[in-house]
Amino acid sequence: MFLKGCPLDCPWCSNPESKDKDPQIMFNPNLCIDCKKCIEICPNNAVDFNLRGRIVRDKCNLCMECVDHCYSKALSIEGIEGSVEELLFELNKDRIHYRRSNGGITFSGGEALYQSDFLLELLKGCKANGWHTTIETAGYYPKETLEKIIPWTDLFLYDIKMIDDGKHKKVIGVSNKRILANAKFAAASSADLVVRTPIIPGFNDDKESVSEIAEFALDLKGVKRIDILPYHRLGEDKYYGLGQKYQMKDIESPSNEKMEQIKELIIKKGIDCTIGGVE
Ligand code: SF4
Ligand code: SF4
């Protein structure tokens, strides 16, 4: 389950629709049949066919008229508001699958802990049903927020992107001190923890950056392994559909060979490693 809102701004994020906490309109040009219904119906003159993302965001008040009248579904809403009870009702529909697959619920984002009070109630509901809970997190929040969540969490998939704080600040916009401190705290808790590292060419695909991440993970109590995730561009069109710029358009994905080299380097450091989280 994806929860909206994230305090970080990683330029490679493949879920840009999850960064903002509020609902947003997404335009998909591949589905548009040029019927012009959206421009006719908009009460705020906020549809502009000259824009790649189609919507003039500062004029739009999210009335949803264009989405409701776009029969080809070229316009859609990203993000819905719902209560804890409503979401647990939806999750409950798959309960047989969770039991048979030995699986459970993964809360992701955005940053799953951005709406931490809401997440806490969801987690309690999951545990009341006996479901396994996993949280995918980038770790940037006060320690007290994490403390509340830990007793209801079975597994953290914890992003560590860079150990050098200067490089972290320069590219991601915030210091990593809190992220690394929270990683230590989560790893020492009752929950399991897997480190996840997106491999971004030119940012953290060099030997030094990878070695530092592996050494940090080795020092974490109870860490299971590092999953390295190759950067990809599957989210690029979503940026345009939201009327945003994609900053990574000149960056290619790392080769399989490069990923294997990084994996080998991490394993040599003494910690298990997978590419993509499954092997
Ligand atoms: S209503 Fe939908 S299909 Fe018609 S022009 Fe607008 S976006 Fe395209
Ligand atoms: S959501 Fe409403 S205001 Fe925004 S573009 Fe669509 S019709 Fe116009």
Coordinates of all heavy atoms in Angstrom, one line a residue, residues 6-8 106-114 119 134-141 145-146 149 153 155-161 179 182-183 186 193-196:
C6 N 6.3 12.7 1.2 CA 7.7 12.3 1.5 C 8.5 13.6 1.8 O 8.4 14.6 1.0 CB 8.3 11.6 0.3 SG 10.0 11.0 0.6
P7 N 9.3 13.6 2.8 CA 10.1 14.8 3.1 C 11.4 14.9 2.3 O 12.1 15.9 2.4 CB 10.5 14.5 4.6 CG 10.5 13.1 4.8 CD 9.5 12.5 3.8
L8 N 11.7 13.8 1.5 CA 12.9 13.9 0.7 C 12.6 14.2 -0.7 O 11.4 14.2 -1.1 CB 13.7 12.5 0.7 CG 14.0 12.0 2.1 CD1 14.8 10.7 2.0 CD2 14.8 13.0 2.9
T106 N 2.8 -4.6 2.8 CA 3.9 -3.7 2.8 C 3.4 -2.3 2.6 O 2.6 -2.0 1.7 CB 4.8 -4.1 1.6 OG1 5.3 -5.4 1.8 CG2 6.0 -3.1 1.5
F107 N 3.8 -1.5 3.6 CA 3.5 0.0 3.5 C 4.7 0.7 2.9 O 5.8 0.6 3.4 CB 3.1 0.5 4.9 CG 1.8 -0.1 5.4 CD1 1.9 -1.2 6.3 CD2 0.6 0.3 5.0 CE1 0.7 -1.7 6.8 CE2 -0.6 -0.2 5.5 CZ -0.5 -1.3 6.4
S108 N 4.4 1.4 1.8 CA 5.4 2.1 1.1 C 5.0 3.6 0.9 O 4.0 4.1 1.4 CB 5.8 1.4 -0.2 OG 6.8 2.0 -0.8
G109 N 5.7 4.3 0.0 CA 5.3 5.6 -0.3 C 5.8 6.1 -1.7 O 6.1 5.2 -2.5
G110 N 6.2 7.4 -1.7 CA 6.4 8.3 -0.6 C 7.2 7.7 0.6 O 7.9 6.7 0.4
E111 N 7.0 8.3 1.7 CA 7.6 7.8 2.9 C 6.4 7.3 3.7 O 5.5 8.1 4.1 CB 8.3 9.0 3.6 CG 8.6 8.7 5.1 CD 9.5 7.4 5.2 OE1 10.6 7.4 4.7 OE2 9.0 6.5 5.9
A112 N 6.4 6.0 4.0 CA 5.3 5.4 4.7 C 5.1 6.0 6.1 O 3.9 6.1 6.5 CB 5.6 3.9 4.9
L113 N 6.1 6.6 6.7 CA 5.9 7.2 8.0 C 5.6 8.7 8.0 O 5.5 9.3 9.0 CB 7.2 7.0 8.9 CG 7.2 5.7 9.7 CD1 7.7 4.5 8.8 CD2 8.1 5.7 10.9
Y114 N 5.4 9.2 6.8 CA 5.0 10.6 6.7 C 3.7 10.9 7.4 O 3.5 11.9 8.0 CB 5.0 11.0 5.2 CG 4.9 12.5 5.0 CD1 6.0 13.3 5.0 CD2 3.7 13.1 4.7 CE1 5.9 14.6 4.8 CE2 3.6 14.4 4.5 CZ 4.7 15.2 4.5 OH 4.6 16.6 4.3
L119 N -0.6 5.6 9.8 CA 0.1 4.3 9.6 C 0.0 3.5 10.9 O -0.2 2.2 10.8 CB 1.5 4.6 9.3 CG 2.4 3.3 9.2 CD1 1.9 2.4 8.0 CD2 3.9 3.7 9.0
T134 N 5.3 -5.1 6.8 CA 6.6 -4.6 6.3 C 6.5 -3.1 6.0 O 5.4 -2.7 5.5 CB 7.0 -5.3 5.0 OG1 7.1 -6.7 5.3 CG2 8.3 -4.8 4.5
I135 N 7.5 -2.4 6.4 CA 7.5 -0.9 6.1 C 8.7 -0.6 5.3 O 9.9 -0.9 5.7 CB 7.5 -0.1 7.4 CG1 6.2 -0.3 8.1 CG2 7.8 1.4 7.1 CD1 6.0 0.6 9.3
E136 N 8.5 0.0 4.2 CA 9.6 0.5 3.3 C 9.8 2.0 3.7 O 8.8 2.8 3.6 CB 9.1 0.4 1.9 CG 10.2 0.1 0.9 CD 9.6 0.0 -0.5 OE1 8.5 -0.3 -0.7 OE2 10.4 0.4 -1.4
T137 N 11.0 2.3 4.1 CA 11.2 3.7 4.6 C 12.5 4.2 4.2 O 13.5 3.5 4.0 CB 11.0 3.7 6.2 OG1 11.2 5.0 6.7 CG2 12.0 2.7 6.8
A138 N 12.5 5.6 4.2 CA 13.8 6.3 3.9 C 14.4 6.9 5.2 O 15.4 7.5 5.2 CB 13.6 7.4 2.9
G139 N 13.7 6.7 6.3 CA 14.3 6.9 7.6 C 14.4 8.4 8.1 O 15.0 8.7 9.1
Y140 N 13.7 9.3 7.4 CA 13.9 10.7 7.7 C 12.7 11.3 8.5 O 11.7 11.8 8.0 CB 14.1 11.6 6.5 CG 14.6 13.0 6.8 CD1 15.9 13.2 7.1 CD2 13.8 14.1 6.7 CE1 16.4 14.5 7.4 CE2 14.2 15.3 7.0 CZ 15.5 15.5 7.3 OH 16.0 16.8 7.6
Y141 N 12.8 11.1 9.9 CA 11.7 11.6 10.8 C 12.3 11.5 12.2 O 13.3 10.8 12.4 CB 10.5 10.7 10.7 CG 10.7 9.3 10.3 CD1 11.2 8.4 11.3 CD2 10.5 8.8 9.0 CE1 11.5 7.1 11.0 CE2 10.8 7.5 8.7 CZ 11.3 6.7 9.7 OH 11.6 5.4 9.4
T145 N 8.9 9.1 16.4 CA 8.0 8.6 15.4 C 8.2 7.1 15.1 O 7.3 6.3 15.1 CB 8.1 9.4 14.0 OG1 7.9 10.7 14.3 CG2 7.1 8.9 13.0
L146 N 9.5 6.8 15.0 CA 9.9 5.4 14.7 C 9.6 4.5 16.0 O 9.1 3.4 15.8 CB 11.4 5.4 14.5 CG 12.1 4.1 14.1 CD1 11.5 3.5 12.8 CD2 13.6 4.3 13.9
I149 N 6.1 3.1 16.0 CA 5.8 2.2 14.9 C 6.4 0.8 15.1 O 5.8 -0.2 14.8 CB 6.3 2.8 13.6 CG1 5.7 4.1 13.3 CG2 6.1 1.8 12.4 CD1 4.2 4.1 13.0
T153 N 5.6 -3.6 13.8 CA 6.3 -3.8 12.5 C 7.2 -5.1 12.6 O 7.9 -5.3 13.5 CB 7.2 -2.6 12.2 OG1 6.4 -1.4 12.2 CG2 7.9 -2.8 10.8
L155 N 9.1 -6.2 9.7 CA 10.2 -6.0 8.9 C 10.3 -4.6 8.3 O 9.3 -4.0 7.9 CB 10.1 -7.0 7.7 CG 11.1 -6.9 6.5 CD1 12.5 -7.2 7.0 CD2 10.7 -7.8 5.3
F156 N 11.5 -4.0 8.4 CA 11.8 -2.7 7.7 C 12.6 -3.0 6.5 O 13.7 -3.7 6.6 CB 12.6 -1.8 8.7 CG 11.9 -1.2 9.8 CD1 11.9 -1.7 11.1 CD2 11.0 -0.1 9.5 CE1 11.2 -1.1 12.1 CE2 10.3 0.5 10.5 CZ 10.4 0.0 11.8
L157 N 12.2 -2.4 5.4 CA 13.1 -2.3 4.2 C 13.6 -0.9 4.2 O 12.8 0.1 4.0 CB 12.3 -2.6 2.9 CG 11.6 -4.0 2.9 CD1 10.7 -4.1 1.6 CD2 12.6 -5.1 2.9
Y158 N 14.8 -0.7 4.6 CA 15.3 0.6 5.0 C 16.3 1.1 4.0 O 17.4 0.6 3.8 CB 16.0 0.4 6.4 CG 16.2 1.7 7.2 CD1 15.3 2.0 8.2 CD2 17.1 2.7 6.8 CE1 15.5 3.2 9.0 CE2 17.2 3.8 7.5 CZ 16.4 4.1 8.6 OH 16.6 5.3 9.3
D159 N 16.0 2.2 3.4 CA 16.8 2.9 2.3 C 18.1 3.5 3.0 O 17.9 4.4 3.8 CB 16.1 4.0 1.6 CG 15.2 3.4 0.5 OD1 14.9 2.2 0.6 OD2 14.8 4.2 -0.3
I160 N 19.2 3.1 2.5 CA 20.5 3.8 2.8 C 21.1 4.2 1.4 O 21.5 3.3 0.7 CB 21.5 3.0 3.6 CG1 20.9 2.5 4.9 CG2 22.8 3.8 3.9 CD1 20.8 3.4 6.0
K161 N 21.2 5.4 1.1 CA 21.6 5.8 -0.2 C 23.0 6.3 -0.3 O 23.6 6.2 -1.4 CB 20.6 6.9 -0.8 CG 19.2 6.4 -0.7 CD 18.2 7.6 -1.1 CE 16.8 7.1 -1.0 NZ 16.2 7.5 0.3
I179 N 18.8 9.8 9.4 CA 18.5 8.6 8.7 C 19.4 7.4 9.2 O 18.9 6.3 9.5 CB 18.7 8.8 7.2 CG1 17.7 9.8 6.6 CG2 18.6 7.4 6.4 CD1 18.0 10.2 5.2
N182 N 18.5 6.6 12.9 CA 17.2 5.8 13.0 C 17.4 4.4 12.5 O 16.8 3.4 13.0 CB 16.1 6.5 12.1 CG 15.5 7.6 12.8 OD1 15.6 7.7 14.1 ND2 14.8 8.5 12.1
A183 N 18.3 4.2 11.5 CA 18.6 2.8 11.0 C 19.2 2.0 12.1 O 18.8 0.8 12.3 CB 19.6 2.9 9.8
A186 N 16.4 1.2 14.6 CA 15.4 0.2 14.0 C 16.0 -1.2 14.0 O 15.4 -2.2 14.3 CB 14.9 0.6 12.6
L193 N 15.4 -6.2 9.7 CA 15.8 -5.1 8.9 C 16.6 -5.5 7.7 O 17.6 -6.2 7.9 CB 16.5 -4.0 9.7 CG 16.7 -2.7 9.0 CD1 16.5 -1.5 9.9 CD2 18.1 -2.6 8.4
V194 N 16.2 -5.1 6.5 CA 17.0 -5.3 5.3 C 17.4 -3.9 4.8 O 16.5 -3.0 4.7 CB 16.2 -6.0 4.2 CG1 16.9 -6.0 2.9 CG2 15.9 -7.5 4.7
V195 N 18.6 -3.7 4.5 CA 19.1 -2.4 3.9 C 18.8 -2.4 2.4 O 19.0 -3.4 1.7 CB 20.6 -2.1 4.1 CG1 21.1 -0.9 3.3 CG2 20.8 -1.9 5.6
R196 N 18.2 -1.3 1.9 CA 18.0 -1.2 0.4 C 18.7 0.0 -0.1 O 18.6 1.1 0.4 CB 16.5 -1.1 0.2 CG 15.7 -2.2 0.8 CD 14.7 -2.8 0.0 NE 13.8 -1.9 -0.6 CZ 12.9 -2.2 -1.5 NH1 12.8 -3.4 -1.9 NH2 12.1 -1.3 -1.9

